[in-house]
Amino acid sequence: MDRTYASPSSQNLTAITTNSVDFASSSSPSPTSMSTGGSRAVKIIQLEHPSATASSSSETASASASVVSKWKARMKGMTWKEWIELFFPCYRWTRTYKVREYLQSDLMAGITVGIMLVPQSMSYAKLAGLQPIYGLYSGFIPIFVYTIFGSSRQLAIGPVALTSLLVSNVLSSIVEPSDTLYTELAILLALMVGILECIMALLRLGWIIRFISHSVISGFTTASAFVIALSQAKYFLGYEIERSSKIIPLVESIISGADKFAWPPFIMGSLMLAILLTMKHLGKTRKYLRFLRAAGPLTAVVLGTAFVKIYHPPSISLVGDIPQGLPKFSVPKQFGHVKSLIPTTVLITGVAILESVGIAKALAAKNGYELDSNQELFGLGVANICGSFFSIYPTTGSFSRSAVNHESGAKTGLSGLVMGIIMGCALLFLTPVFEYIPQCALAAIVISAVIGLVDYDEAKFLWRVDKKDFLLWTITCTTTLLLGIEIGVLVGVGVSLAFVIHESANPHIAVLGRLPGTTIYRNTQQYPEAYTYNGIVIVRIDAPIYFANTSYIKDRLRDYEIEKEESKGRGPEVSRIHFVILEMAPVTYIDSSAVQALKELHQEYKSRDIQLAISNPNREVLLTLAKAGVIDLIGKEWYFVRVHDAVQVCLQHVQRLTEFPKARDSLAENKPSLFQRLLNQRKDEFFQPELESGVHESLLSKDTNPQL
């Protein structure tokens, strides 16, 4: 249905001059001059107003029915193959496995990463304060479980540096690493992490982690890399240093024990680190040498072990005895410490989601298959739960090993099975050899791995693109270094949420103007050529309106009422604002507080003889306004589909104000409201349209005429 404002007949054109307005004729000397040129009828699109009662009940019922019906249809439509894929994602690639195309690539990738995993798992176990054997266990059982329940075909899970540091940090504050309780708590932590991951996956709560900014994660991992590297310095220096997640105690401990410095482990560790970094660099920069990246840890272990076996240096500490054989089934113990482990469980789970799921999604996109984040989280959870019964500590996806797995050509989860087999062979046959691995060689492996976590490129990017995110990165990095991991993450997340709240409570609001030669209205700051109209301000609110931002929006509207750009104004000259048009297309939601604020704003405007108009609200917003009675309060005739429609109606009334100068004093004389009289007059007669008639034809001619 259209509202039509028909132009009067040519016979009555002279009599009804108020309905044939030309604000800026191309032949007139000023924008305020009048013209009684010809005009034509214009149709204003009718805004459909929903019923507050019927729409609410029917909409709720239809939404509920839609969700239930979709769920039932999906369940009924699933085949037995889809049911198997739902519970065992590995079935997706096993039933379409192409032996000739995939087998060789999977075997090579599995062998490459498996060789890399063996020394890394022992190194990360030492970082976690555990015996190396628990790192080997953690790189064995979870791989097989994840291959069955995980959906990524390239993700390599197992011990990682960041998780190991978190485990060490929390457990060392409870008990000494030499105590048996320390190991039991690490195993219990794996069970708790797995349970939390599975719960979040089943409840589809992975979206919660979206509130943690990437700047927070980057700053956190950068600071953690420095802490991890300094914690491994004791194996290079030859003396014990304080175990801490804060950089100042670590540096003080290193300086205070300088008199115990030993040259042999330092020289050997530095050589191993140099070899690792060189091989990693060559593997990244030259494709034909990319195998060197994976072979680096094994090379360091072999060289270090060979040197020790030949020369037997007394000042270089060794890994020592490692039990031989596969892990045995045992139930986690020490459930009395569950409460104290909950914060770390949440933190490790958050790191797992951000790191593992992010890597898995990126690799899935590169290899052309879809990945369900919640299924991925469930696979990680089951891997940790099952692994906890075989003496593992928390595991997750490794960025470095997953990258090597992808670069080595892994096509399916078979590469993960090959990694697990290699780890099993190492447990069965190679543990006697591992006894002679130098501690400094394992420390060099850890340091070379965490160097990649120092994300200075991200810091430079943030400084160039967004200073606010750079500040967030700096705050997180600094607090993590100075106050510890848990406090650093909490501060980073807190500041990140504070930024979100600030942006939400102070939304972007733009004053709109008309682009010359069009009926399009855009931000006047973005488009300086856009012009406004005297007596009318058009405001667009680019956010949902709710209790937190209503005060800010009202304040800005008051400012826009005062701030009038005379140089851009078109139309009749008026002394103040008479109409405020709210463009509500970007407003996706409005709550009860915002509705009340809108009522108050309307009353304020009414007391100052200003009319409020609403443009293009969506169905949900319009329904809320209808329930609250705001539509009837403002008047249905002041709701429009387009800004263009609202402007042309308001311009007609602005023109009437210039033709009835005595009407401006109506409020002071306690006469009926000016807008009430205009509205009554509008109901009794048809108005001549301004925008599509000769009014805007003349404005367009002015825009295109450089002399005007």
Side-chain angles (χ1 to χ4, degrees), residues 18 31 53 56 77 137 164 189 191 237 244 247 262 270 313 327 331 337 344 374 511 526 544-545 552 566 587 590 672:
T18 58
T53 55
S56 178
Y137 290 162
S164 301
L189 194 57
L191 176 63
L237 302 176
S244 176
I247 193 169
S270 299
V331 179
H337 291 81
T344 304
N374 291 292
V511 173
Q526 184 177 1
I545 307 177
Y552 175 81
E566 298 290 349
V587 179
I590 185 169

Side-chain angles (χ1 to χ4, degrees), residues 508-522:
H508 179 261
I509 302 176
V511 173
L512 304 185
R514 186 185 179 195
L515 295 180
T518 72
T519 58
I520 298 173
Y521 294 80
R522 290 292 183 266

Side-chain angles (χ1 to χ4, degrees), residues 547-619:
F547 65 92
N549 61 17
T550 52
S551 297
Y552 175 81
I553 292 173
K554 289 174 66 177
D555 291 341
R556 294 304 299 143
L557 289 176
R558 294 188 187 102
D559 294 340
Y560 292 140
E561 182 184 342
I562 299 172
E563 299 170 3
K564 190 174 64 169
E565 300 184 31
E566 298 290 349
S567 59
K568 294 185 179 180
R570 306 291 179 90
E573 290 292 343
V574 290
S575 59
R576 63 180 182 86
I577 296 296
H578 293 282
F579 293 91
V580 175
I581 301 173
L582 295 184
E583 160 66 307
M584 299 185 73
V587 179
T588 57
Y589 168 75
I590 185 169
D591 71 351
S592 58
S593 299
V595 169
Q596 186 61 35
L598 200 59
K599 289 182 178 180
E600 295 172 358
L601 186 66
H602 171 72
Q603 295 299 331
E604 289 181 23
Y605 282 160
K606 187 177 180 181
S607 66
R608 296 195 295 275
D609 216 14
I610 298 174
Q611 178 61 50
L612 182 65
I614 306 294
S615 168
N616 199 19
N618 66 32
R619 178 177 174 79

Side-chain angles (χ1 to χ4, degrees), residues 431-450:
T431 51
V433 180
F434 296 158
E435 178 182 349
Y436 299 97
I437 297 176
Q439 299 265 31
C440 58
L442 296 182
I445 293 172
V446 173
I447 294 173
S448 68
V450 300

Side-chain angles (χ1 to χ4, degrees), residues 303-568:
L303 291 176
T305 304
F307 179 83
V308 169
K309 290 284 286 183
I310 295 173
Y311 296 102
H312 305 284
S315 58
I316 295 179
S317 60
L318 306 179
V319 169
D321 183 48
I322 297 178
Q324 190 172 4
L326 301 179
K328 297 179 181 180
F329 180 87
S330 62
V331 179
K333 305 173 184 177
Q334 305 299 332
F335 286 95
H337 291 81
V338 166
K339 187 176 181 180
S340 61
L341 296 178
I342 289 177
T344 304
T345 301
V346 174
L347 186 57
I348 292 176
T349 303
V351 171
I353 297 174
L354 291 165
E355 188 173 355
S356 301
V357 178
I359 298 166
K361 277 192 169 184
L363 294 176
K366 288 183 178 180
N367 288 274
Y369 64 91
E370 295 184 0
L371 183 137
D372 185 352
S373 299
N374 291 292
Q375 180 66 57
E376 186 68 14
L377 193 55
F378 181 78
L380 291 170
V382 174
N384 276 293
I385 291 173
C386 295
S388 66
F389 293 97
F390 294 92
S391 303
I392 75 162
Y393 74 97
T395 60
T396 187
S398 167
F399 179 82
S400 59
R401 293 195 299 270
S402 298
V404 171
N405 196 32
H406 168 69
E407 293 168 1
S408 300
K411 301 296 183 184
T412 67
L414 181 63
S415 62
L417 295 178
V418 175
M419 296 177 211
I421 291 171
I422 291 176
M423 186 63 72
C425 292
L427 285 167
L428 288 171
F429 308 113
L430 299 179
T431 51
V433 180
F434 296 158
E435 178 182 349
Y436 299 97
I437 297 176
Q439 299 265 31
C440 58
L442 296 182
I445 293 172
V446 173
I447 294 173
S448 68
V450 300
I451 284 177
L453 296 178
V454 180
D455 205 355
Y456 55 86
D457 287 333
E458 178 71 10
K460 292 192 294 184
F461 172 78
L462 294 176
W463 172 260
R464 186 172 65 253
V465 174
D466 192 338
K467 299 295 191 296
K468 182 186 68 177
D469 281 342
F470 176 79
L471 176 63
L472 184 58
W473 185 93
T474 305
I475 290 173
T476 305
C477 184
T478 305
T479 52
T480 302
L481 285 172
L482 299 178
L483 304 178
I485 293 175
E486 288 87 350
I487 296 178
V489 171
L490 288 176
V491 170
V493 172
V495 175
S496 179
L497 291 177
F499 283 160
V500 171
I501 294 171
H502 179 269
E503 291 296 328
S504 179
N506 298 272
H508 179 261
I509 302 176
V511 173
L512 304 185
R514 186 185 179 195
L515 295 180
T518 72
T519 58
I520 298 173
Y521 294 80
R522 290 292 183 266
N523 188 347
T524 55
Q525 291 185 348
Q526 184 177 1
Y527 297 91
E529 68 273 18
Y531 56 83
T532 58
Y533 291 100
N534 296 325
I536 302 172
V537 60
I538 311 165
V539 179
R540 188 186 66 213
I541 303 171
D542 295 328
I545 307 177
Y546 69 113
F547 65 92
N549 61 17
T550 52
S551 297
Y552 175 81
I553 292 173
K554 289 174 66 177
D555 291 341
R556 294 304 299 143
L557 289 176
R558 294 188 187 102
D559 294 340
Y560 292 140
E561 182 184 342
I562 299 172
E563 299 170 3
K564 190 174 64 169
E565 300 184 31
E566 298 290 349
S567 59
K568 294 185 179 180

